[in-house]
Amino acid sequence: MIRKLHASSRLSTVPASPIRKLVPFALAAKKRGVKVYHFNIGDPDVHTPAVMMEVLRRWKTNPIGYAHSQGEVPLLSALEHYYSGLGFDFIKSHDIQITTGGSEAISWALFATCNAGDEVIVFEPLYANYNSYATVHGITLVPILTTAANGFHLPPVRVIEKKITNKTKAILYCNPNNPTGTVYTRDEVAMLVRLAKKHSLFLLSDEVYREYTYDGRKQVSLLRYMNDIPRHAIMLDSLSKRYSVCGLRVGALVSKNTAIMEGVLRIGQGRLSAGLVDQAVASALTDVPKSYLTGIQKEFEKRRTILYEGLRKIPGVTIPKPEGAFYAIVGLPVADAEHFCQWLLTDFADHKETVMLAPAAGFYATPGCGKNEVRIAYVLSTESIKRCVKILSLALKKYEEVSVI
Ligand SMILES: Cc1ncc(COP(=O)(O)O)c(C=O)c1O
């Protein structure tokens, strides 16, 4: 008898991305001649720095070989220099492992700190892909709800402590936050550091949006506490958003825990290397003028304000003022945001234009949460953001009419 061939049963437990789920409907809308504004995905529209493009243009090395498993020396030095510029001159090359994007850094950090069946505390709404990495590694995410009412800031320490069990191995947080746009205060980060110390937990800080902070805020990096909790602290980083190089796939895992660093290097050896060309281009970060990052910060602060001021004028729409990153969790006067998001693509257009949003339910680990919310990524020009706000306000009116019928 021939055995039936099945994919693993665990494969079907990996969730689909809530950001990409509605793509077929967007493609169909475009086929009908409708212009779709992409408010759903965080792929920055600003230009990659000229010095990085220049490295790409001048590339000569042939053949294009493997890179070092830990990462190319010039890139490690460039990052060492970058962290030193932030005031963390104690971060050295041997504390850094280059990864293919922040995505790989997060995945490896979870694998390196947890056994299958262990628990990791997260704050929801959360970066949806944390669900995927946890599922792949057989780790249970233990979500703690944050709410729009207090700008999605962290709950009191007792609420977090209640969720710590014998199986808890780590706290994973994102600062500035995707999807809420919240920038945690110094007190909040210090509270997490104290918790990690008190309960012997790893503290994993996803800092890919470090420079995107508004209204005079400054991000409080976990690097500040690296010497205080060297065995607990792991910082996860990426160049994707900082230099508008999402397609380069360059990230980093940074820690002073030697067992972790030796272990992730072995994982790195197993996957041979991150891209050689990607790392050569990324190494030019040292030559990117300071004005590039301050320019991006100013541009996105302007976009944030236009979005916030526009949306809060729409009846029934709620939006806490985003403090950083380029996302917002927006409450809508609809019962089922996923249905509304799909309807925007299948049944609505204003002058042959519509907008694509990400239903927020997929940004929660708790089933049933976020049903009337969407996540917006404001990575469009200010003119496009204004137009999206207009389309959304017209669409909500129309949706109410058709829902009543
Ligand atoms: C919070 C957060 N962490 C990590 C990543 C991973 O990005 P990349 O793999 O491009 O570095 C993203 C991408 O959107 C993100 O939003």
Side-chain angles (χ1 to χ4, degrees), residues 61-230:
T61 310
N62 185 349
I64 300 170
Y66 288 119
H68 291 297
S69 294
Q70 187 199 344
E72 289 293 278
V73 172
L75 178 56
L76 291 167
S77 304
L79 279 175
E80 195 181 299
H81 184 257
Y82 162 74
Y83 294 130
S84 174
L86 297 175
F88 310 117
D89 56 1
F90 47 85
I91 299 296
K92 301 295 177 198
S93 290
H94 59 258
D95 303 319
I96 306 170
Q97 167 68 47
I98 300 299
T99 54
T100 52
S103 306
E104 194 174 64
I106 301 162
S107 179
W108 288 8
L110 288 171
F111 184 85
T113 55
C114 299
N115 292 312
D118 284 343
E119 294 174 358
V120 173
I121 288 179
V122 287
F123 303 98
E124 62 179 355
L126 46 71
Y127 177 50
N129 289 333
Y130 293 166
N131 280 324
S132 321
Y133 312 134
T135 309
V136 167
H137 297 309
I139 294 163
T140 305
L141 293 186
V142 177
I144 295 177
L145 193 66
T146 63
T147 60
N150 75 338
F152 298 104
H153 278 274
L154 298 183
V157 67
R158 65 186 146 73
V159 176
I160 305 174
E161 278 190 312
K162 254 194 209 154
K163 295 278 184 178
I164 297 174
T165 72
N166 287 342
K167 288 189 175 170
T168 312
K169 285 299 290 290
I171 299 174
L172 167 62
Y173 70 102
C174 177
N175 182 31
N177 192 280
N178 173 10
T180 63
T182 305
V183 179
Y184 297 132
T185 62
R186 197 167 175 160
D187 283 351
E188 286 173 295
V189 177
M191 168 181 75
L192 295 177
V193 168
R194 279 197 305 276
L195 272 176
K197 218 176 188 174
K198 179 175 168 192
H199 296 276
S200 282
L201 302 175
F202 288 103
L203 193 53
L204 316 181
S205 179
D206 179 343
E207 304 191 1
V208 310
Y209 298 99
R210 181 174 300 112
E211 278 79 6
Y212 293 83
T213 55
Y214 313 132
D215 308 316
R217 287 180 182 81
K218 279 257 165 295
Q219 186 241 24
V220 179
S221 174
L222 181 60
L223 295 179
R224 184 185 282 268
Y225 300 92
M226 276 266 163
N227 287 329
D228 186 14
I229 50 165

Side-chain angles (χ1 to χ4, degrees), residues 11-64:
L11 185 60
S12 62
T13 65
V14 180
S17 162
I19 304 162
R20 294 168 191 262
K21 213 166 162 179
L22 297 176
V23 167
F25 300 105
L27 290 176
K30 285 177 192 173
K31 245 190 177 162
R32 293 195 309 276
V34 175
K35 174 172 177 176
V36 178
Y37 286 94
H38 284 273
F39 241 12
N40 62 309
I41 190 158
D43 201 346
D45 60 328
V46 284
H47 278 124
T48 302
V51 284
M52 292 189 173
M53 295 308 292
E54 196 54 21
V55 177
L56 206 51
R57 212 173 56 79
R58 290 182 180 210
W59 182 267
K60 288 234 165 49
T61 310
N62 185 349
I64 300 170

